[in-house]
Amino acid sequence: TTFIDDCQWDRSAEYVSAAGWTHNAASGRYECGISKSRWTKHKFGDGIYDFTFTPIAETEAGTCKCYVAFLSQSSQTDTYFDSINWYGATYYLEIIPGLNMLYVNYNTGTGATSSMQNIGSIVLPSTVGAVGTSSKFRLRINNNVLQVELNGVLAKSSLALPKGLSEGYFGVS
């Protein structure tokens, strides 16, 4: 299954979203306030996931982050996938503008007993763009191995995804 959304027109109906998401046709992007989840309605497995991250604001220096979930067993919008109240095993990336590091995490998704685990990091070929600057990411997932490109350049390292999730929802927060 292929899902492509270049954000040039509003395809919000194809997502499960918390309140607060809007489509900005002039800029060709979806925007949201602080930490609200948006998910694809369908599950995806091995393949290529392309997205652009453009931080548009931060409340304090260094506080702007983007979390990108993949192979998630849940698409909840009432809590965040780095929460102990999350249900459904989930891999998620932590993207921080100005850093050249991508953190890969896992939430066991067992509700009140959930635990978050850092399963590794990938050194990116350049730094993630600061506020107002776009960074284009490409995730390649094949046989539980994650490779990442930033702005068309492949990171030198890859990361094994040790929890065995083979398909799931793709989302951002």
Side-chain angles (χ1 to χ4, degrees):
T1 303
T2 301
F3 178 80
I4 299 172
D5 187 351
D6 62 6
C7 303
Q8 297 305 307
W9 62 89
D10 189 357
R11 293 176 60 181
S12 295
E14 298 178 47
Y15 293 95
V16 175
S17 303
W21 283 91
T22 59
H23 178 251
N24 183 328
S27 298
R29 64 181 178 218
Y30 294 104
E31 298 175 351
C32 184
I34 297 173
S35 299
K36 298 192 179 186
S37 299
R38 172 167 256 197
W39 297 95
T40 57
K41 282 189 176 179
H42 302 285
K43 290 184 173 184
F44 299 94
D46 282 3
I48 295 173
Y49 297 76
D50 288 338
F51 62 94
T52 300
F53 171 51
T54 307
I56 57 174
E58 61 185 334
T59 54
E60 299 174 20
T63 62
C64 183
K65 293 181 183 181
C66 178
Y67 293 100
V68 176
F70 59 98
L71 304 181
S72 177
Q73 303 307 293
S74 177
S75 59
Q76 294 172 252
T77 60
D78 60 346
T79 190
Y80 308 113
F81 35 83
D82 61 343
S83 168
I84 62 167
N85 295 314
W86 182 257
Y87 284 95
T90 302
Y91 291 116
Y92 64 97
L93 308 175
E94 183 177 357
I95 302 170
I96 303 171
L99 293 185
N100 71 332
M101 191 70 65
L102 184 71
Y103 301 98
V104 183
N105 302 294
Y106 175 76
N107 187 330
T108 59
T110 54
T113 60
S114 291
S115 67
M116 282 62 67
Q117 306 161 8
N118 177 278
I119 57 172
S121 56
I122 294 177
V123 177
L124 298 170
S126 60
T127 58
V128 176
V131 171
T133 305
S134 295
S135 297
K136 294 181 186 259
F137 286 87
R138 171 170 280 180
L139 309 181
R140 295 179 184 174
I141 301 170
N142 188 21
N143 292 321
N144 282 308
V145 174
L146 172 66
Q147 292 180 304
V148 178
E149 287 182 23
L150 177 59
N151 298 321
V153 180
L154 183 64
K156 291 182 181 178
S157 62
S158 60
L159 185 67
L161 302 171
K163 303 302 180 180
L165 302 179
S166 61
E167 73 169 10
Y169 300 101
F170 181 79
V172 296
S173 176

